Amino acid sequence: MQASPQAIPCELTKGSPVNRRTNRLLQSLPDVYRKALIASMEEVDLPVSRILYEAGKTPKYAHFVLSGAVSVVGSLKTGDGVEVFSVGREGLVEATHLLGIGNSSTRAFVQVKGSAARIPLAELQRHFQDYQPLRSVILSYVQSRTFILEQLSACNRHHEVEPRIVRWLLMMQDRIESNAFPITQEFLAELLGTRRTTVSRAAKRLQGTGLIHYSRGNMRIVNRRGLEQSACECYAITKRLAATSNVP
């Protein structure tokens, strides 16, 4: 996939202490432990196209997203690929890397700029092994995400492009908690594994019915309720699956 041709290497400059916002996974931990864990983290900026990890490589850091959105993409040798899932303030980008020694076949990069609470992966692995409440929270998040991925696999196979686009827009709004975000039609087509012309036609129809406003790579959701009615059934299903997690 060529969705991030100018991606920035994963090495980040040292950031500030995590003291302004928080992540929902961190928020769900016991207060004393959460404060101690956050004290060992640093807040770092996530500019668009920042690579957080590459396929087949062990990440150096783990990122609890505080704002913005990270796209996790499965790629092929041809450079083509499709978005597997996205991570916002509800999640941990490298969660599955905590489950064993294997490396993922996906890559992760910043899709919507934001920030994250960063900690060395090896240090988080020690916490994950030693502290049961943290382990339970992350395992619950991974399970919920797995159930959602199963549903999205069926969605991508059986549903038409336009309701899939609507579902994606709603899920992205949920991740970033904003009704406006940058996304090009070409990039969205790559993420969904379809043609740009198909995305363009769908965007025009959605804009014509007053559900969205799209101009020069900037997307704004105008009618959230109308979008929900236009989405395929998978959005409501994934919303319920996310609610089954113990994460707030």
Side-chain angles (χ1 to χ4, degrees):
M1 176 175 179
Q2 314 240 337
S4 56
Q6 298 180 338
I8 304 169
C10 63
E11 187 63 32
L12 302 177
T13 56
K14 185 174 177 61
S16 59
V18 180
N19 56 13
R20 288 179 294 157
R21 295 175 296 277
T22 192
N23 170 278
R24 290 179 189 165
L25 291 179
L26 296 176
Q27 204 169 29
S28 66
L29 294 171
D31 188 58
V32 173
Y33 179 76
R34 181 180 69 252
K35 290 179 179 178
L37 183 62
I38 288 177
S40 66
M41 298 177 173
E42 60 180 357
E43 183 173 338
V44 292
D45 290 333
L46 298 180
V48 172
S49 295
R50 173 79 70 184
I51 297 175
L52 300 189
Y53 70 79
E54 292 279 14
K57 297 182 179 179
T58 301
K60 185 176 180 181
Y61 296 103
H63 298 83
F64 292 86
V65 178
L66 301 174
S67 62
V70 174
S71 183
V72 177
V73 176
S75 301
L76 303 175
K77 288 183 178 180
T78 59
D80 297 323
V82 176
E83 183 180 74
V84 179
F85 59 88
S86 59
V87 183
R89 198 170 69 88
E90 83 293 338
L92 168 63
V93 177
E94 298 84 359
T96 53
H97 290 84
L98 297 173
L99 305 185
I101 61 174
N103 287 323
S104 174
S105 61
T106 60
R107 67 197 299 260
F109 61 88
V110 180
Q111 182 178 317
V112 178
K113 70 177 181 179
S115 64
R118 186 181 77 169
I119 184 172
L121 180 65
E123 183 175 347
L124 184 61
Q125 284 175 322
R126 289 193 292 271
H127 285 283
F128 180 77
Q129 293 167 0
D130 296 340
Y131 191 65
Q132 188 274 330
L134 175 65
R135 189 163 61 251
S136 294
V137 164
I138 291 177
L139 288 177
S140 179
Y141 168 67
V142 171
Q143 183 186 55
S144 175
R145 195 166 75 180
T146 300
F147 291 158
I148 291 171
L149 292 179
E150 291 171 349
Q151 183 64 36
L152 295 184
S153 177
C155 178
N156 292 333
R157 174 66 179 84
H158 293 289
H159 288 154
E160 298 295 330
V161 172
E162 186 168 321
R164 286 170 50 210
I165 291 174
V166 173
R167 184 260 299 160
W168 187 92
L169 292 174
L170 290 167
M171 293 182 73
M172 179 53 59
Q173 185 182 32
D174 292 342
R175 297 289 183 275
I176 66 174
E177 300 176 335
S178 172
N179 66 349
F181 49 90
I183 184 76
T184 66
Q185 292 182 359
E186 181 179 12
F187 190 28
L188 183 54
E190 290 177 344
L191 291 177
L192 294 173
T194 189
R195 296 178 181 274
R196 182 187 180 280
T197 53
T198 303
V199 171
S200 179
R201 287 194 298 269
K204 286 181 180 179
R205 285 194 295 270
L206 294 171
Q207 182 158 269
T209 55
L211 299 179
I212 66 169
H213 178 74
Y214 182 79
S215 177
R216 298 182 179 180
N218 292 303
M219 176 68 65
R220 181 165 60 89
I221 294 176
V222 178
N223 184 346
R224 165 86 188 197
R225 184 181 297 273
L227 272 186
E228 290 180 351
Q229 293 172 349
S230 300
C232 62
E233 63 192 284
C234 296
Y235 174 68
I237 293 173
T238 58
K239 191 80 170 176
R240 288 198 300 270
L241 290 171
T244 64
S245 170
N246 292 326
V247 180

